[in-house]
Amino acid sequence: MTTSERTTTSERGGGAAVSERVVTTRSARANAHIGKHAQTIAIGVVLVVLLIFFAFSADRFATTGNILNLLRQISPTLIVAIAMTFVISTSGIDLSVGSTVALSGSLLAIVLQHGWDPTLALVAILALGALIGFVNGWFSSYQNIPPFIVTLAMLSIMRGTALRATEGYSTPIDGELWIVQLGQGRVAGIPVPVILAVVIAAVGWLTLTRTPFGRYVIGLGSNGESLRRTGVNTRKVGLAVYVLTGLAAALAGVLIATRLSSGSSNAGSGFELEVITAVVLGGTSLFGGRGSMLGTILGALTLGVIANGLVLLHVSPFYVQIVQGAILLLAIFANSKVWARFGAVRK
Amino acid sequence: MSDEATPYRKAEEVKPVTSADSTVDRVVMRDIRKRYGMVDALRGVTLRVGPGEVIGLVGDNAAGKSTLMKVLAGAVVPDSGEIVFDGRPVSFSTPRDARELGIEMVYQDLALCDDIDVAGNLFLGREPRKAGGLLLDVAQMHRDARRHLDALNIRIPLTDIPVGGLSGGQRQAVAIARAVTFGPKLLILDEPTAALAVAEVETVLELIKTVSAQGVSVILITHRLQDLFRVCDRLCVMYEGTLRADLDARATSLERLVSEIVAHDQIDPGAGDAAAGDGRRENDTTEGARR
Ligand SMILES: Nc1ncnc2c1ncn2[C@@H]1O[C@H](COP(=O)(O)OP(=O)(O)O)[C@@H](O)[C@H]1O
Ligand SMILES: [Mg+2]
């Protein structure tokens, strides 16, 4: 009857004599879609402006070498930020990723020094990362302890374990081992970490937007009780996202340690802040229910460009940290105040 | 334990629940109890629903209606009591268990994910998939959503906008569509018409008649008492966590129903009830003293 007729008309996008109701809903759709993508577009614009600015102000910025170097530098951040996008979309947080980077890098170097097979060492380190994530997820999702507290405790435990294991010294990694290629190798001129980051970003995007799991991650952050009532095992979903950040952080630790040819218990300090900033900058809501993988990629790129550009302009590296913290605060402010006007953001 | 609940019931109206009955009933809930800290939400409730039967569940606020229905939908695990579905004893530890048996519920708070679009909410938890179950079949989802909404005469022109942007009535319609779309055997509607316009209420009442004619059992919770008399076979009145009365909708007046809901003592439906009435008064006094 009329309902379906109207609908088909509006879906075809034609028909001047469409009822007022459909027109309103159409503007609602436009609003919703703009709201969804406004922040991604905004961060994209910021990135382009920064690129142009540094290209003109720093001589060596716009060279292939520098760009590839920049991309390699942000690869670990991006890999963990992809996983963190899932966690934050469920309205969770994982503060332990920086410590996990330190622990996995240190342990990798130590077990290699003990003569472990590099492949076995890699698998063991990744499994350890997944286990750390499992513990985070079990306390947060199954025991309902705020993830902020759980992962803050794990931050301390993992950093302490890394310090104890290395006694504070860094452990060299033999440059002859194949595993060093993970951090230093290139395929067709592209650094291996960059290739890994691109593949993981693509898989992450597909998972968040096109799979039932991604749908449940958004649902969990949007209205967890509602998702539970539809029969989804919400606790499992809530646990799985922390396994993802644990795994990603362990991989990041391996990439950083193999790039530097040494495992250090001081690696990854402030790493969690960088990762969370990239995610929030990209428009993923700290309150859950909204996650943008493309935004996270742009956010990580923006942070990398700022850090790299400032160094090329001979600005003291200490400022980079100040700038990063300020960006996080601004991004959260924009997230909750400015973009909320588009109606798609809650709270 | 059931002696606490007995005084509230009219002996001749509560049909005895026997094992023989269970084989014909769609669902029997027996002596269901649930306590939240100091609040006794359910104090031993027994309720049976036949196939295709429409039950109106009424009672004051906080009488325990929503809690009882959440137990039936698997969203709340009771402290004790048993549920028999289609003659088989069942126990639900998650809503999935109940959904798999064909029990669907429209929750009072709707339970929609505001950030997910209309089609996504309709299919939440049972999305059409492709690529061997790995990926969502988004196109199929929107096509099916359109078909289901049209079949239910629900006016939501677009299925790809987040439900957070819809009106209260449209949100309620989405919640109802989600419950009836997958061919339930028992449909629970917890105040489904609260945010609806007059015409939309009519649609819901028609829907209830249609599905019950097809053998679907329906439990309707509503404060619009006039609606109950139009669609219900039986009216069950809850009062402070107990089932106070189980009435035949055709043989009950609105006045009688109202007096049962407010637990009015003066109106005495029959001489045979004198003893029960006394018990009730006594019980009320103790209740009052406890409060
Ligand atoms: N999750 C809960 N936690 C604590 N108390 C609850 C909870 N759910 C319901 N109650 C209490 O149980 C009683 C019955 O509530 P409810 O079933 O919602 O009543 P109704 O739907 O009949 O208005 C109320 O006193 C309510 O406060
Ligand atoms: Mg209620």
Side-chain angles (χ1 to χ4, degrees):
Chain A
M1 50 161 289
T2 27
T3 319
S4 48
E5 277 167 24
R6 275 186 202 162
T7 308
T8 15
T9 329
S10 79
E11 274 181 350
R12 267 192 249 114
V18 195
S19 81
E20 199 182 335
R21 181 184 200 119
V22 174
V23 176
T24 357
T25 323
R26 245 183 175 177
S27 70
R29 166 152 76 175
N31 240 352
H33 282 249
I34 292 172
K36 219 167 159 181
H37 298 295
Q39 199 154 359
T40 315
I41 296 166
I43 188 65
V45 169
V46 168
L47 179 60
V48 169
V49 169
L50 282 170
L51 284 173
I52 293 172
F53 171 76
F54 285 123
F56 282 100
S57 56
D59 308 334
R60 291 199 294 113
F61 183 80
T63 59
T64 316
N66 184 53
I67 295 296
L68 284 179
N69 184 39
L70 185 163
L71 290 175
R72 193 183 61 178
Q73 271 170 355
I74 64 153
S75 293
T77 310
L78 180 56
I79 288 169
V80 181
I82 296 293
M84 189 71 82
T85 305
F86 287 95
V87 171
I88 294 182
S89 294
T90 68
S91 76
I93 193 94
D94 188 348
L95 301 175
S96 69
V97 290
S99 298
T100 303
V101 163
L103 182 66
S104 53
S106 307
L107 287 185
L108 178 75
I110 289 172
V111 297
L112 288 176
Q113 210 169 44
H114 279 77
W116 282 37
D117 174 66
T119 312
L120 177 67
L122 177 65
V123 171
I125 295 297
L126 293 182
L128 176 72
L131 180 69
I132 293 170
F134 185 90
V135 173
N136 279 329
W138 187 79
F139 278 110
S140 320
S141 189
Y142 280 78
Q143 305 305 317
N144 297 320
I145 301 172
F148 172 78
I149 298 298
V150 172
T151 59
L152 189 62
M154 286 298 267
L155 174 155
S156 175
I157 294 170
M158 292 309 138
R159 181 70 67 181
T161 311
L163 284 164
R164 175 67 193 81
T166 60
E167 293 292 351
Y169 296 104
S170 50
T171 316
I173 295 175
D174 179 2
E176 298 294 300
L177 299 173
W178 75 259
I179 201 165
V180 170
Q181 296 307 313
L182 279 182
Q184 299 177 5
R186 283 169 190 263
V187 175
I190 316 272
V192 173
V194 177
I195 295 170
L196 283 173
V198 168
V199 170
I200 289 170
V203 172
W205 175 82
L206 194 74
T207 307
L208 187 64
T209 60
R210 294 285 183 272
T211 68
F213 175 73
R215 193 47 71 91
Y216 301 155
V217 164
I218 298 291
L220 187 54
S222 184
N223 186 346
E225 176 59 14
S226 152
L227 186 70
R228 189 184 76 88
R229 288 180 189 168
T230 65
V232 174
N233 189 338
T234 46
R235 295 191 153 171
K236 237 190 213 167
V237 176
L239 187 147
V241 292
Y242 290 94
V243 174
L244 290 182
T245 42
L247 255 177
L251 178 61
V254 169
L255 294 180
I256 291 170
T258 51
R259 188 182 80 209
L260 302 172
S261 290
S262 99
S264 161
S265 51
N266 293 319
S269 73
F271 185 74
E272 58 283 326
L273 183 87
E274 201 175 306
V275 168
I276 292 166
T277 306
V279 175
V280 173
L281 204 52
T284 296
S285 167
L286 276 176
F287 302 113
R290 263 165 52 92
S292 168
M293 228 22 119
L294 184 60
T296 294
I297 296 166
L298 294 173
L301 281 171
T302 304
L303 290 185
V305 166
I306 291 173
N308 177 282
L310 289 183
V311 168
L312 289 187
L313 287 181
H314 306 295
V315 175
S316 156
F318 298 126
Y319 279 112
V320 173
Q321 220 166 12
I322 297 175
V323 169
Q324 237 166 41
I327 289 174
L328 176 60
L329 211 51
L330 266 175
I332 293 172
F333 179 75
N335 210 325
S336 55
K337 295 281 186 277
V338 183
W339 308 123
R341 286 177 195 218
F342 287 94
V345 189
R346 303 164 310 120
K347 289 167 202 166
Chain B
M1 280 305 279
S2 58
D3 39 5
E4 194 186 304
T6 322
Y8 291 93
R9 290 195 222 133
K10 310 288 181 292
E12 81 277 11
E13 279 154 0
V14 177
K15 290 171 193 157
V17 177
T18 65
S19 48
D21 272 7
S22 317
T23 55
V24 295
D25 286 327
R26 168 70 21 99
V27 68
V28 180
M29 302 178 82
R30 233 183 250 122
D31 200 25
I32 304 289
R33 290 167 188 272
K34 180 71 190 181
R35 174 179 263 282
Y36 289 109
M38 295 300 288
V39 181
D40 242 340
L42 297 175
R43 299 188 289 163
V45 181
T46 297
L47 180 75
R48 48 162 293 278
V49 187
E53 201 173 21
V54 182
I55 307 273
L57 190 61
V58 290
D60 234 332
N61 282 328
K65 308 179 296 291
S66 296
T67 306
L68 184 68
M69 290 303 104
K70 284 180 189 166
V71 167
L72 191 49
V76 165
V77 179
D79 298 335
S80 69
E82 59 170 343
I83 301 174
V84 177
F85 190 84
D86 279 345
R88 279 190 306 125
V90 289
S91 77
F92 306 139
S93 51
T94 69
R96 160 155 301 198
D97 301 338
R99 255 191 144 183
E100 273 167 5
L101 285 181
I103 300 175
E104 290 285 344
M105 174 159 173
V106 176
Y107 292 87
Q108 191 169 5
D109 60 5
L110 302 185
L112 298 171
C113 288
D114 283 353
D115 302 285
I116 294 179
D117 64 19
V118 173
N121 267 286
L122 267 184
F123 289 95
L124 201 58
R126 43 180 62 155
E127 297 81 1
R129 300 181 181 196
K130 60 183 181 186
L134 279 177
L135 299 181
L136 294 170
D137 193 341
V138 177
Q140 178 79 38
M141 205 150 86
H142 285 286
R143 268 200 307 278
D144 287 354
R146 179 80 273 143
R147 203 159 45 76
H148 290 309
L149 291 176
D150 286 349
L152 293 172
N153 211 354
I154 290 171
R155 298 180 185 191
I156 296 176
L158 304 170
T159 57
D160 64 348
I161 49 172
V163 297
L166 299 181
S167 73
Q170 286 175 320
R171 289 163 55 79
Q172 209 145 31
V174 171
I176 294 171
R178 170 160 79 189
V180 300
T181 288
F182 297 94
K185 286 180 168 173
L186 171 63
L187 179 62
I188 304 166
L189 303 163
D190 195 348
E191 310 206 7
T193 52
L196 297 186
V198 180
E200 292 167 324
V201 173
E202 290 304 316
T203 312
V204 173
L205 294 180
E206 282 309 315
L207 182 73
I208 292 173
K209 286 182 190 163
T210 313
V211 296
S212 68
Q214 294 162 357
V216 178
S217 308
V218 180
I219 302 176
L220 172 65
I221 299 177
T222 179
H223 287 300
R224 294 170 48 105
L225 301 183
Q226 69 276 25
D227 292 349
L228 292 171
F229 289 99
R230 291 178 51 197
V231 295
C232 294
D233 301 309
R234 273 163 55 218
L235 302 172
C236 296
V237 183
M238 286 190 71
Y239 181 78
E240 294 188 350
T242 60
L243 195 73
R244 184 187 156 90
D246 187 341
L247 310 161
D248 184 339
R250 275 164 294 262
T252 306
S253 66
L254 183 61
E255 292 73 30
R256 170 77 193 282
L257 181 62
V258 171
S259 76
E260 289 291 355
I261 293 172
V262 298
H264 216 287
D265 291 330
Q266 283 92 320
I267 296 176
D268 214 357
D273 260 309
D278 282 342
R280 190 163 72 225
R281 256 190 295 281
E282 214 176 278
N283 215 313
D284 278 354
T285 325
T286 30
E287 285 295 301
R290 245 206 289 167
R291 268 184 265 128

